[in-house]
Amino acid sequence: MLIGGFNTLSEAQRNLYDKSKLVKAMRNSLLLWALILAIGVVLSYFVSQYFGIISFIIWLIVLFRAFH
């Protein structure tokens, strides 16, 4: 459901893909994005608010790189 465009493929085209690998790749991407933001939250709370801004910028770079 979270993989863009996969549900719009026909059933024959969907069967060509390894669904378990797609799910694992999406899971790893979501965990990485959450980890980046969580580290930024913790560092901005305990150290400086600038770490939150830096982690958000890093998150944007990783996000746009994944969608490119």
Side-chain angles (χ1 to χ4, degrees), residues 7-58:
N7 288 335
T8 61
L9 295 174
S10 67
E11 189 67 32
Q13 288 176 326
R14 277 191 233 162
N15 291 332
L16 297 175
Y17 291 95
D18 187 1
K19 293 174 188 167
S20 65
K21 283 187 180 181
L22 285 173
V23 169
K24 287 179 184 178
M26 183 56 76
R27 178 199 63 193
N28 292 340
S29 295
L30 291 173
L31 287 175
L32 176 66
W33 300 339
L35 182 67
I36 291 170
L37 290 178
I39 289 172
V41 165
V42 169
L43 289 176
S44 68
Y45 184 75
F46 289 112
V47 180
S48 173
Q49 67 182 2
Y50 295 112
F51 283 106
I53 297 168
I54 292 169
S55 71
F56 183 70
I57 292 170
I58 292 171

